[in-house]
Amino acid sequence: MKKISLTLLIVCISITFLLNFTMPEFAGKMKDNISSMNIIYSYSVTKTFSEQTQDTIEIASVPSRETETRNVDFRSDVKLEDTPLNIKSVVKESLNKPQDYKFKEKLTGPEKGFSYRKYYLTKNYDKGRYTVIRTNKITGKEKVYVGTYHVPSAQDPFVEWSRDVK
């Protein structure tokens, strides 16, 4: 059994080296597929939530008694820090997916007594640390990767709000 596993490893490595020289763009795709299919390695991902952070964006400032129509498109993506390329896709699979926010809306200014109304969008992120344990299926060796992540919050990724200003 060990001889078959070693032979399979040698064949996979040989194919990868051959493709790197003959068809580099295909080799990159093949490498990602091998990693995601977990042929050589198994992965264990744990994440530890630490806090929710916010990023507030002013969408519009509408003067008193006026109306504006706005198209708003935002994307909230996963942000990884201290993450090697060889495990980036494994970590992303275990995190919240990117969120898209789109709306087309009429925004109205405030009534008498206020100068303008400011409209805001708050993007909420969950922040924490992740640990990946990569185990070589053939040798049993383990390697540990640690880093931090920011992902769109699972609860209320986007919050709309406004404030009237005098």
Side-chain angles (χ1 to χ4, degrees):
M1 182 68 178
K2 196 142 182 117
K3 197 170 196 176
I4 292 172
S5 298
L6 185 60
T7 305
L8 179 62
L9 176 64
I10 291 169
V11 168
C12 287
I13 291 171
S14 300
I15 289 171
T16 303
F17 282 126
L18 268 173
L19 289 173
N20 276 329
F21 291 112
T22 58
M23 299 168 46
E25 63 282 340
F26 180 73
K29 290 178 186 175
M30 179 80 168
K31 180 181 171 192
D32 290 341
N33 287 340
I34 288 173
S35 174
S36 66
M37 291 175 18
N38 297 326
I39 291 175
I40 299 172
Y41 300 106
S42 64
Y43 298 92
S44 168
V45 181
T46 56
K47 58 184 184 175
T48 308
F49 173 81
S50 61
E51 65 180 308
Q52 187 178 64
T53 60
Q54 298 176 335
D55 183 16
T56 300
I57 301 163
E58 184 178 324
I59 297 172
S61 179
V62 183
S64 180
R65 298 187 201 159
E66 291 188 20
T67 303
E68 287 184 26
T69 302
R70 286 285 170 107
N71 290 325
V72 179
D73 293 333
F74 286 104
R75 181 174 175 89
S76 185
D77 278 319
V78 173
K79 299 174 190 171
L80 299 173
E81 296 172 10
D82 308 319
T83 307
L85 286 175
N86 62 339
I87 64 159
K88 201 169 251 187
S89 63
V90 173
V91 175
K92 282 187 175 183
E93 285 176 15
S94 70
L95 299 174
N96 300 343
K97 302 298 178 218
Q99 296 282 333
D100 289 322
Y101 179 85
K102 296 180 181 191
F103 81 88
K104 181 178 182 177
E105 197 170 311
K106 274 190 175 180
L107 305 175
T108 58
E111 298 299 320
K112 279 186 185 179
F114 293 95
S115 302
Y116 51 91
R117 178 175 291 153
K118 290 189 173 198
Y119 288 87
Y120 298 93
L121 181 68
T122 298
K123 298 190 298 184
N124 292 316
Y125 289 94
D126 291 341
K127 181 180 176 183
R129 296 187 59 73
Y130 69 83
T131 303
V132 176
I133 300 173
R134 182 182 78 179
T135 307
N136 186 313
K137 291 180 179 179
I138 299 166
T139 64
K141 285 187 176 180
E142 291 183 347
K143 183 162 184 175
V144 178
Y145 299 91
V146 178
T148 57
Y149 68 86
H150 294 75
V151 293
S153 181
Q155 183 176 2
D156 298 327
F158 298 99
V159 178
E160 293 177 44
W161 55 285
S162 64
R163 176 174 288 149
D164 292 345
V165 180
K166 288 188 176 192

